[in-house]
Amino acid sequence: QVASFLVRKFEHFPPEILRGLGQAAVGLSIFSIENSISAEDLEASIPALAKVRGWNSEQSSTIINKLLRSGYQILDGQSLAKLGSLMAGLNSSTLRSLSSEVILEAIKLPEFAE
């Protein structure tokens, strides 16, 4: 509830704000993710958003889908592991489309295990 209250104070979410929110970013509404954050700002904020714990499935799916629609590609294990806690938003068809090499590379990375 506190996180939701905090994020309602902003109309736009550039990377500096998203990084500054830290764990409070979990309070982002689906409406805010879809309408108040550009895909470019989301991509620039992946390192911070990937560390946030407690995303619900709709939030993580909305973030991931927006990234993928804007051209974000998972080409290697590093780009998959980089998603961190947002990985829960990957749908099964996207996961199945990844090569086994991408998965094998990702599971060797410490940030993927986290």
Side-chain angles (χ1 to χ4, degrees):
Q1 288 178 343
V2 172
S4 293
F5 175 76
L6 283 172
V7 298
R8 281 189 295 226
K9 296 289 184 189
F10 300 98
E11 290 181 24
H12 300 287
F13 295 89
E16 312 80 62
I17 299 280
L18 291 170
R19 284 190 296 270
L21 285 172
Q23 183 59 38
V26 78
L28 288 167
S29 68
I30 300 306
F31 180 85
S32 292
I33 295 166
E34 291 176 338
N35 300 295
S36 300
I37 309 171
S38 72
E40 294 79 20
D41 288 345
L42 270 181
E43 187 167 350
S45 304
I46 289 174
L49 298 176
K51 294 177 183 173
V52 173
R53 300 289 176 224
W55 296 114
N56 68 42
S57 60
E58 192 175 7
Q59 287 170 307
S60 58
S61 291
T62 302
I63 292 170
I64 291 293
N65 289 331
K66 188 167 187 170
L67 286 168
L68 294 174
R69 282 193 313 270
S70 74
Y72 183 81
Q73 295 183 336
I74 302 170
L75 300 173
D76 54 24
Q78 191 71 31
S79 56
L80 178 60
K82 180 179 167 181
L83 295 174
S85 62
L86 295 169
M87 271 192 276
L90 288 168
N91 64 40
S92 58
S93 64
T94 302
L95 285 171
R96 282 194 298 273
S97 73
L98 299 175
S99 73
S100 57
E101 290 81 15
V102 168
I103 305 295
L104 290 171
E105 181 184 341
I107 61 174
K108 294 176 184 174
L109 299 168
E111 59 268 31
F112 183 81
E114 290 174 21

